[in-house]
Amino acid sequence: MTEPAVELDGIWKRFPGVVANAGANLTVRPGTVHAVLGENGAGKTTLMNCLAGVYLPDEGTVKLHGREMRFSSPADALAAGVGMVHQEFRLVPTFTVAENVVLGSAPRVISRPEINRSVAELAERFGFSAEPERPVWQLSMGERQRVEILKALWRDAQVLILDEPTAVLTPQEAEDLGRVLRQMVGEGRSVLFISHKLNEVTAFCDEATVLRGGATVASSVAIADVDSAALAELMVGSSTKSTETDAQRNTEMGDVVLAVDNVSVTDSRGLTAVDGVSFEVRAGEILGIAGVAGNGQRQLTDAIAGLETCRTGSVALMGDDLTSATPRDRFRAGLAYVPEDRLGVGLAPKLPIAENAVMRHYPKMRRGPILLWDRAKEFSAELVSRFEVKVGRVEDRLASLSGGNLQRLLLGRELSSEPSVVVASQPTRGLDVHGVAAIQRLLVEQRDQGTGVLMVSEDLDELLVLADRILVMSEGRVAGKFDPAVASRAEIGAAMAGVS
Amino acid sequence: MRRRLLLVVAAVLAFSLVATACGDDGGSTGGASDDVTAAWVYIGQPGDAGWTFAHDQGRQAAADATGATTLTVENIAEGSPEFEQAVRDFIAEGADIIFATSFGYMDDMEKLAAEFPDVVFDHATGFKSNDTNFTNYFGRVYQPRYLSGMIAGASTTTDTIGYVAAFPIPEVIRGINAFTLGAQVTNPDVTVQVNWTSTWFDPAVEGDAASALLEAGADVIAMHQDSTAAGEAAEAAGARWVSYNSDMSAFAPSAYLTSAVWDWGPYYTSVIEEVGAGTWDATPYWGGMDDGIVKLGSIASDVDAALVTQVNDVGDQMTAGTFDPFTGPINDQDGTERVAAGVSMDDGSMLGMDWFVDGVDGSAGG
Amino acid sequence: MKRLVLARRENPTRGGQPLAFLVGLVFALVIGALLLWSSGDPVIDTYQRMWERSFGSRDVISATLNRAVPLALAGLAVSIAAKMGLWNIGAEGQILFGATAAAGMARIGDSWPGPVLITAMLIAAAIGGALWALGPALARSEIGVSEIITTLMLNEVALRVIRYLQSGPWKDPDGFGNLQVTPLPDQAALGNIWERAHLGVLIALAVIAFFAWFMTRSVWGYELRIAGSSAKAATYIGISMRTKVLGVLLLSGAVAGFAGGIELTGTASRLNENISNGFGFAGIIVAALALMRPSGVLVVAVAFGGLQVGGQSIQLLGVSSAVSAILQALILFGAIGAGVLSAYQIRLVDRKVA
């Protein structure tokens, strides 16, 4: 047996209040695509960062081809042949593809045509087309990802780490990526593929290592020998139940709680993002809005919540016109909003958990100009325990929470004032199996209590299970209304694609 | 009034340094004077030319002549707590005399003089004093100004002299008026154009002001700041230049005509000697060419010998006290008679002068 | 083969900050010693004098405290704006105009009793400072013009306003035509409370303590933190970014203007154009060294004040003002550098791997 390309042994990494890796192990054979699986917060990214020189592990050893390594920077790791493509790309938008690829490792005297040619050759060798002279800002996300990969290959990385690479890709681009990865491992390189999407793992990868709670629970499982269900079970630690059994369709609909009438919104570029959308949400129903991302969903929910101005039309809550009300007044009137961007819109990442927990409620916790912090902390502690947010202390930084916990905190905060309408935009996106189930359960509970729920999701399956009615948005308009009990996926898919 | 941004230095952090430590090697003339410690507060840095340079030359001369210990501190902003701190530092070091060399130190001088009655406080260019330990000193630099004006008036072929002026205060206005009256002796048709810079030391502004005057037709430039920029502008334009404060001929050798300069050495020496001997009293001092505190600097070699003789004659009369530049009839810009024929202006009127004589083109209000 | 590398600390410790500061100070002192040595100045004597004339006796400590007052208030002003990610580079101008407003109040109330007049002057100073920040604040909140440029430019304008007042409207009739304004009435001076330290020391202390408390405990301060953390989050919960930007810049200006009022009543006999003398710019450094925390501003300002006072004194040993300025800058640089370094660690690592 050949020497493993990568060998991580007993890696521990602690952050204030959190143990991210608790003795994780990982062995990668050369010439394979190796999946690193785990729920959000399982420690996948931290482990990979330890391998890529971003973090220095507290304990444990990192070996490359049998030699022990100690990387103090990503540059060190790269010099040793480990390249990482992060979820957020690190490219200079105004530079060309070739300039980005060679940035930091260019020869002293730069001959532009020569560099363009060698970058093009490199791309061709791995089976993707690249236009070396195009500036990066013109590229799609998928194209940018390829530039990141090329950057690593240019430095002759033998081990390439891809952190959730398909999150930003179209299905077609994801397929192309799979082909490129094959080509790379064909030359004896190794690829580490971080994901929690099982279908991709089974399609692209040779072996998988599964992490749970920072430790390795299954090491180098051959993908050919297991099925998705078994992998999922390893990830979550118990048999997963479909959410379908939880959702009981509501038959009794109440009064109209949210009325959206002929709303149009202009986006920041001056284009029409929402074009005359009308619908009603009734008490005790989940109205699902389906559609491909970028068809005006975000602007629509922002307009309902008061973050965008309606160019035309009106928004009414419980019969009261709120079209020109402030976001705060809308919340006070009973409109809860879970925005698509949790960090940065729904939550303030630099502030402590408690300060985030009371962001909607502090007007009720003041005496004159003074905020009553004791009451705020009490409220936060209750919120955290009622919605099962796993935190150290409520004074800790928000950044210490995992994605699922962030969403629980956010949703919990929005629900704790007993709203009459909940608008939730992509509430389960990016969450792990447990997280998705928890959030869905909370929304279903709300519906069952008689709240009107407007749920925007790109996951049609989710809507088919949860929603009482489905609207499809396409190019800013309502492209179809469906009853999930009878509608076929094909019909809805056609509406999403804009086929009328 | 000069501002400085010490903090900008923090951004520069250059390691190329100018080692400009001031040596304090006093002479050894003996007597009580060598027990005296005299201290100077400077508004700027001595450098190679200008107001502070002239004071520092005087300090060195006095130190050599008396053997007194001398202390200096540079770049002290007027009206800031830095001045008080400097004086207290000096007194902690045993200073017997404080010489403050800029107008804006006046209020603090008055306050500190009251607090330290055993220390002599002597303030250049100010007008306050008490009867015991605080007084002021200055020189009648308008006298050599007048002489330099005579040379300038004879040198202009366009009958236009540009005057790069600092601030519209009596000291500067007096200089412009004396200069203009002198120029009119040798050239009755001359006009002196004034360009205010509102700076004491800003080479860029002062150079630009001189260039503007040159473009407007002046072919001789006079000035009242510490920098040599006006002279350099004149040099570049092939024009002539009258410098001030110290002999600045080295900075614009072909433009240089002459200068009105300070020689503080004799005054500083006498104050130190009087303090050492216990004979000093708090009488304000305003000396002229007779005391040698002000004089005409070197004259360019191409100036007509007859003119030089004429200028020297007038200078001798001033030294002898037989001629005063501000002797009537003198009219102001509106033609109003300010000084009647045969009358010499009194010191009070000179100290408060806020009008230009006829022949000056510009506003005395700034 | 080993080499030194700089790596970001994942868990910067709080205790590391003073330690790093000390290391930076020692480093700066060593470089400064080389500088003094190369310019022929006595090294030990210079440092000793610097210490003696800043913290060496009650008298000089009181002078240092006086100097710390405008530095601390300017630092507070900068740090308040920084809470929202705004850069008030115009504290200098706001100090000048605050002092100008206070001096104007003294002209109106020159017959009022001292406490009444001083109170009125300080209020006028704060309003004046806020007024001086109003233009940049509106330009920022309404049309998004960078406050960095506008506040900076107004510094020069404030200076010109004082020059204008000196040359005409407020010109001292007893000044023999010189450019100075009429002196303040005698009762407009803050009295001394300890040695030479004036009452402004206590007032500044109270103001800073108030803001340290107010910024953490008040609704306004909390909303400011949200807005500073994420403008979108602030909008999402209904905080108006426009009014917040406006409010925080006006407050920052008011604090800086107040510093001008304190400086005028505490140390000056009349309004003059050096009433600030760089305090507004120094405030940026003070705020940066204090990590934008109001509570830290106090300590930093006292150290900075001592540095200025002691740094000037070494000229008496024959050290030129240029060397003295570089030495002061070096020490600041060392301290700032240490602040940065405390977020990093220096490690010895293998030069080449694989």
Side-chain angles (χ1 to χ4, degrees):
Chain A
M1 184 171 164
T2 55
E3 197 84 62
V6 176
E7 217 177 338
L8 302 179
D9 190 26
I11 301 289
W12 282 81
K13 185 71 199 171
R14 301 171 187 89
F15 296 102
V18 182
V19 178
N21 285 143
N25 304 319
L26 174 72
T27 308
V28 180
R29 287 189 294 119
T32 57
V33 179
H34 193 107
V36 180
L37 278 169
E39 294 185 84
N40 279 309
K44 307 182 294 283
T45 301
T46 305
L47 186 65
M48 290 303 103
N49 278 331
C50 287
L51 173 59
V54 177
Y55 299 138
L56 199 62
D58 298 334
E59 287 171 43
T61 56
V62 175
K63 283 187 193 169
L64 287 185
H65 304 284
R67 284 191 52 190
E68 192 171 335
M69 297 288 158
R70 222 177 129 73
F71 301 133
S72 50
S73 71
D76 268 4
L78 200 52
V82 179
M84 180 155 177
V85 177
H86 294 269
Q87 286 183 39
E88 310 83 33
F89 300 143
R90 295 160 189 202
L91 299 171
V92 185
T94 51
F95 279 20
T96 66
V97 169
E99 282 165 346
N100 268 289
V101 167
V102 304
L103 188 66
S105 66
R108 207 150 283 222
V109 180
I110 297 180
S111 151
R112 197 175 293 272
E114 201 173 302
I115 285 173
N116 285 343
R117 195 169 57 246
S118 30
V119 169
E121 277 170 15
L122 185 71
E124 206 175 313
R125 195 170 118 209
F126 291 99
F128 39 70
S129 61
E131 296 167 78
E133 290 174 66
R134 262 181 82 185
V136 159
W137 61 265
Q138 293 182 348
L139 304 183
S140 74
M141 291 313 255
E143 288 168 321
R144 288 180 201 206
Q145 185 179 63
R146 276 178 241 158
V147 179
E148 284 279 9
I149 294 172
L150 272 177
K151 257 170 81 175
L153 292 173
W154 177 262
R155 288 159 180 77
D156 203 27
Q158 291 300 308
V159 176
L160 187 72
I161 305 165
L162 303 173
D163 192 357
E164 309 220 3
T166 55
V168 296
L169 301 184
T170 63
Q172 181 57 43
E173 282 176 327
E175 234 168 80
D176 289 348
L177 176 67
R179 222 181 49 242
V180 170
L181 298 185
R182 277 289 132 219
Q183 183 75 30
M184 284 169 56
V185 298
E187 293 192 9
R189 288 179 171 76
S190 316
V191 173
L192 280 151
F193 190 96
I194 308 178
S195 181
H196 53 232
K197 293 186 187 165
L198 291 174
N199 56 344
E200 286 169 4
V201 168
T202 48
F204 298 159
C205 302
D206 303 307
E207 292 181 350
T209 292
V210 183
L211 297 181
R212 194 166 69 228
T216 304
V217 292
S219 194
S220 299
V221 183
I223 296 291
D225 300 346
V226 290
D227 63 10
S228 302
L231 282 175
E233 196 173 326
L234 281 169
M235 273 168 67
V236 298
S238 62
S239 274
T240 49
K241 249 188 329 180
S242 163
T243 45
E244 196 158 3
T245 49
D246 286 326
Q248 300 232 322
R249 241 167 258 293
N250 198 359
T251 46
E252 283 174 45
M253 295 225 194
D255 300 333
V256 172
V257 284
L258 175 70
V260 172
D261 184 29
N262 190 32
V263 163
S264 298
V265 179
T266 309
D267 70 10
S268 52
R269 292 167 304 169
L271 305 175
T272 297
V274 180
D275 191 4
V277 168
S278 303
F279 59 82
E280 288 172 345
V281 180
R282 291 175 175 275
E285 75 160 340
I286 295 179
L287 175 64
I289 293 191
V292 179
N295 276 283
Q297 298 97 315
R298 177 202 288 258
Q299 286 84 356
L300 175 65
T301 53
D302 277 357
I304 293 169
L307 275 63
E308 292 267 8
T309 335
C310 295
R311 196 183 66 215
T312 66
S314 65
V315 176
L317 193 73
M318 317 285 288
D320 296 328
D321 184 15
L322 290 179
T323 313
S324 53
T326 65
R328 186 170 291 178
D329 287 342
R330 293 181 203 219
F331 181 77
R332 206 173 288 149
L335 178 76
Y337 181 35
V338 178
E340 192 175 325
D341 287 335
R342 282 157 224 160
L343 280 172
V345 177
L347 298 163
K350 287 184 222 153
L351 300 187
I353 293 162
E355 297 199 4
N356 273 286
V358 299
M359 260 169 68
R360 286 288 206 181
H361 311 284
Y362 70 91
K364 283 180 275 175
M365 303 171 183
R366 60 190 289 177
R367 184 179 298 135
I370 300 309
L371 213 154
L372 304 170
W373 283 109
D374 288 345
R375 209 188 290 175
K377 278 184 188 147
E378 214 173 286
F379 177 89
S380 308
E382 268 171 39
L383 184 79
V384 155
S385 88
R386 181 172 149 209
F387 290 95
E388 294 167 1
V389 187
K390 285 182 203 123
V391 297
R393 300 176 322 137
V394 291
E395 291 89 356
D396 289 346
R397 295 270 295 256
L398 188 76
S400 63
L401 296 187
S402 72
N405 279 317
L406 285 174
Q407 189 69 320
R408 263 188 264 234
L409 178 71
L410 172 53
L411 188 59
R413 183 189 73 202
E414 293 301 304
L415 298 182
S416 57
S417 63
E418 291 170 6
S420 43
V421 173
V422 178
V423 177
S425 190
Q426 315 287 359
T428 61
R429 188 163 72 179
L431 302 187
D432 58 41
V433 181
H434 271 323
V436 170
I439 298 299
Q440 289 178 342
R441 198 165 50 238
L442 282 168
L443 291 171
V444 169
E445 267 171 33
Q446 284 296 311
R447 176 194 65 189
D448 294 347
Q449 288 164 17
T451 311
V453 178
L454 179 67
M455 180 176 182
V456 177
S457 178
E458 281 156 32
D459 186 342
L460 184 56
D461 292 323
E462 176 179 58
L463 291 180
L464 284 170
V465 170
L466 295 176
D468 301 296
R469 290 186 296 140
I470 292 178
L471 290 187
V472 173
M473 268 188 89
S474 174
E475 292 176 352
R477 294 193 197 88
V478 176
K481 300 187 181 192
F482 300 93
D483 177 353
V486 295
S488 75
R489 292 178 57 91
E491 282 177 288
I492 300 177
M496 283 167 65
V499 182
S500 50
Chain B
M1 290 183 202
R2 192 182 303 158
R3 309 183 70 256
R4 82 208 154 85
L5 288 181
L6 166 76
L7 301 155
V8 173
V9 177
V12 180
L13 265 190
F15 285 90
S16 53
L17 302 173
V18 200
T20 51
C22 324
D24 292 330
D25 310 358
S28 53
T29 29
S33 305
D34 60 359
D35 293 336
V36 173
T37 299
W40 278 259
V41 182
Y42 294 150
I43 181 81
Q45 283 173 271
D48 298 321
W51 175 256
T52 300
F53 173 75
H55 282 284
D56 202 54
Q57 294 290 109
R59 174 191 66 80
Q60 279 175 27
D64 289 344
T66 62
T69 307
T70 65
L71 300 168
T72 62
V73 56
E74 314 162 350
N75 274 337
I76 300 302
E78 295 173 309
S80 85
E82 291 173 6
F83 180 82
E84 178 177 345
Q85 187 61 34
V87 170
R88 287 178 187 276
D89 285 342
F90 284 145
I91 292 172
E93 197 75 354
D96 304 299
I97 312 171
I98 307 292
F99 291 111
T101 65
S102 195
F103 176 77
Y105 300 147
M106 189 162 61
D107 294 337
D108 290 317
M109 284 290 274
E110 184 180 36
K111 192 181 91 182
L112 289 159
E115 188 179 336
F116 297 100
D118 298 333
V119 177
V120 168
F121 286 81
D122 207 359
H123 181 213
T125 78
F127 55 80
K128 283 187 183 174
S129 62
N130 62 21
D131 292 332
T132 55
N133 68 325
F134 170 40
T135 190
N136 57 70
Y137 64 102
F138 203 35
R140 299 176 186 272
V141 77
Y142 61 86
Q143 294 175 343
R145 282 276 195 203
Y146 182 88
L147 300 177
S148 70
M150 290 173 69
I151 294 174
S155 303
T156 174
T157 56
T158 60
D159 294 338
T160 308
I161 299 173
Y163 203 117
V164 186
F167 288 90
I169 59 173
E171 175 194 339
V172 178
I173 291 170
R174 205 160 55 232
I176 294 169
N177 284 342
F179 178 89
T180 306
L181 292 173
Q184 284 166 351
V185 171
T186 53
N187 184 347
D189 301 325
V190 76
T191 302
V192 176
Q193 282 190 351
V194 174
N195 194 348
W196 297 108
T197 60
S198 296
T199 61
W200 290 113
F201 181 87
D202 190 334
V205 173
E206 291 148 18
D208 287 350
S211 298
L213 288 165
L214 290 164
E215 275 167 34
D219 61 348
V220 177
I221 294 292
M223 42 76 88
H224 193 121
Q225 290 94 348
D226 284 5
S227 86
T228 57
E232 284 152 28
E235 180 96 351
R240 302 308 295 261
W241 174 46
V242 177
S243 85
Y244 172 60
N245 278 321
S246 63
D247 185 329
M248 296 175 172
S249 55
F251 295 92
S254 20
Y256 180 82
L257 271 174
T258 187
S259 51
V261 301
W262 293 94
D263 182 3
W264 301 96
Y267 176 74
Y268 287 147
T269 303
S270 74
V271 171
I272 291 169
E273 280 170 350
E274 283 170 32
V275 169
T279 59
W280 183 87
D281 63 59
T283 309
Y285 172 84
W286 199 18
M289 285 176 69
D290 49 344
D291 283 1
I293 189 169
V294 290
K295 50 180 73 159
L296 191 66
S298 64
I299 300 171
S301 56
D302 62 343
V303 174
D304 181 56
L307 176 61
V308 173
T309 310
Q310 189 192 353
V311 166
N312 285 339
D313 282 350
V314 176
D316 289 344
Q317 289 172 43
M318 283 197 229
T319 308
T322 55
F323 173 71
D324 190 298
F326 289 109
T327 302
I330 299 173
N331 291 350
D332 66 16
Q333 285 172 307
D334 303 330
T336 312
E337 186 181 86
R338 291 287 190 150
V339 185
V343 176
S344 288
M345 203 179 208
D346 62 283
D347 283 0
S349 304
M350 275 198 262
L351 286 170
M353 198 180 277
D354 59 356
W355 49 272
F356 276 144
V357 299
D358 191 24
V360 178
D361 180 8
S363 161
Chain C
M1 183 87 174
K2 299 273 186 181
R3 72 189 160 120
L4 286 170
V5 296
L6 210 56
R8 185 168 257 290
R9 282 181 204 276
E10 287 134 27
N11 318 319
T13 48
R14 274 204 173 199
Q17 195 69 28
L19 185 71
F21 181 79
L22 217 63
V23 171
L25 192 68
V26 169
F27 178 75
L29 291 180
V30 170
I31 302 278
L34 288 175
L35 165 73
L36 289 167
W37 175 76
S38 70
S39 62
D41 295 311
V43 175
I44 302 294
D45 284 358
T46 300
Y47 284 143
Q48 192 182 342
R49 176 66 63 95
M50 218 164 164
W51 174 258
E52 279 171 4
R53 297 301 295 167
S54 53
F55 296 102
S57 69
R58 291 158 62 98
D59 179 66
V60 294
I61 290 174
S62 66
T64 293
L65 290 178
N66 280 351
R67 189 67 65 89
V69 166
L71 292 170
L73 289 173
L76 177 66
V78 172
S79 68
I80 287 172
K83 282 265 179 261
M84 232 182 108
L86 297 169
W87 285 99
N88 181 5
I89 312 292
E92 185 80 3
Q94 292 142 16
I95 293 173
L96 288 172
F97 197 72
T100 304
M105 184 53 78
R107 293 175 69 87
I108 296 168
D110 61 351
S111 59
W112 301 352
V116 176
L117 177 57
I118 290 173
T119 306
M121 284 171 75
L122 293 181
I123 291 170
I127 293 172
L131 215 60
W132 210 245
L134 180 64
L138 282 173
R140 170 71 201 226
S141 70
E142 302 307 308
I143 46 178
V145 177
S146 165
E147 75 287 354
I148 298 176
I149 310 292
T150 50
T151 53
L152 180 66
M153 290 194 300
L154 280 176
N155 290 338
E156 191 62 22
V157 181
L159 200 64
R160 303 280 159 164
V161 168
I162 294 181
R163 285 218 180 128
Y164 168 70
L165 294 170
Q166 282 175 335
S167 72
W170 292 3
K171 193 169 178 176
D172 185 358
D174 301 325
F176 288 88
N178 286 290
L179 297 181
Q180 58 179 17
V181 303
T182 314
L184 296 172
D186 290 341
Q187 77 273 23
L190 287 172
N192 286 3
I193 47 162
W194 176 73
E195 299 286 329
R196 282 194 275 144
H198 56 68
L199 186 60
V201 173
L202 281 188
I203 298 176
L205 198 68
V207 167
I208 290 168
F210 170 76
F211 275 104
W213 170 82
F214 185 73
M215 298 298 271
T216 44
R217 303 305 299 265
S218 70
V219 172
W220 196 84
Y222 169 58
E223 290 184 341
L224 197 65
R225 282 202 296 283
I226 296 173
S229 171
S230 164
K232 285 180 179 167
T235 311
Y236 160 72
I237 59 166
I239 296 172
S240 158
M241 285 299 282
R242 277 178 53 227
T243 52
K244 268 283 175 290
V245 165
L246 198 64
V248 81
L249 279 176
L250 290 184
L251 184 67
S252 176
V255 170
F258 187 78
I262 292 278
E263 191 64 4
L264 185 74
T265 52
T267 70
S269 49
R270 66 180 92 213
L271 177 69
N272 70 74
E273 59 188 78
N274 285 327
I275 196 79
S276 178
N277 200 26
F279 294 138
F281 295 110
I284 299 167
I285 297 177
V286 170
L289 281 173
L291 306 176
M292 302 302 171
R293 283 199 293 259
S295 49
V297 157
L298 264 184
V299 183
V300 174
V302 171
F304 202 156
L307 184 66
Q308 282 196 352
V309 170
Q312 182 188 313
S313 299
I314 61 173
Q315 285 193 44
L316 270 66
L317 295 172
V319 180
S320 80
S321 61
V323 172
S324 157
I326 295 172
L327 198 61
Q328 293 178 46
L330 263 177
I331 292 171
L332 285 177
F333 186 79
I336 294 171
V340 174
L341 280 179
S342 73
Y344 290 81
Q345 51 191 336
I346 297 172
R347 281 202 309 257
L348 204 61
V349 298
D350 289 317
R351 175 164 284 286
K352 189 64 191 156
V353 273

